[in-house]
Amino acid sequence: GDLINMDGIKIFAPDVEQGLAACPGLRAVAVAGLPDPALGAVPVLWATVWTAGRAWHVEQLLARHQDIDTPVFTLSHYFKKA
């Protein structure tokens, strides 16, 4: 659903998405809960960052002469409760 319960804190994903979508340069914003054994769930953000009319990662790939059709980001680690 749209509600993320992080250690008892209720986070309504559409509200976060709406707030982030208002930030200049952010497009296609999505927030979801990633299951966490200690916290219940942690919010995760997916967004496209635009600069000069193109996505930031596309600009970076083009500058390095790399393929722009291959995914460049993976989620491999996130914060944990101290």
Side-chain angles (χ1 to χ4, degrees), residues 49-73:
V49 179
W50 290 84
T51 59
R54 281 197 273 210
W56 174 84
H57 72 279
V58 171
E59 293 291 336
Q60 297 300 310
L61 291 172
L62 290 173
R64 294 189 306 260
H65 307 289
Q66 292 179 305
D67 179 16
I68 61 171
D69 295 320
T70 304
V72 292
F73 300 112

Side-chain angles (χ1 to χ4, degrees), residues 4-77:
I4 302 167
N5 186 349
M6 185 179 81
D7 202 23
I9 299 169
K10 307 294 191 276
I11 301 165
F12 192 56
D15 288 349
V16 177
E17 293 168 352
Q18 184 179 11
L20 290 170
C23 295
L26 288 184
R27 303 287 187 275
V29 176
V31 175
L34 181 68
D36 181 272
L39 298 173
V42 292
V44 178
L45 166 69
W46 290 269
T48 302
V49 179
W50 290 84
T51 59
R54 281 197 273 210
W56 174 84
H57 72 279
V58 171
E59 293 291 336
Q60 297 300 310
L61 291 172
L62 290 173
R64 294 189 306 260
H65 307 289
Q66 292 179 305
D67 179 16
I68 61 171
D69 295 320
T70 304
V72 292
F73 300 112
T74 59
L75 179 64
S76 60
H77 183 74

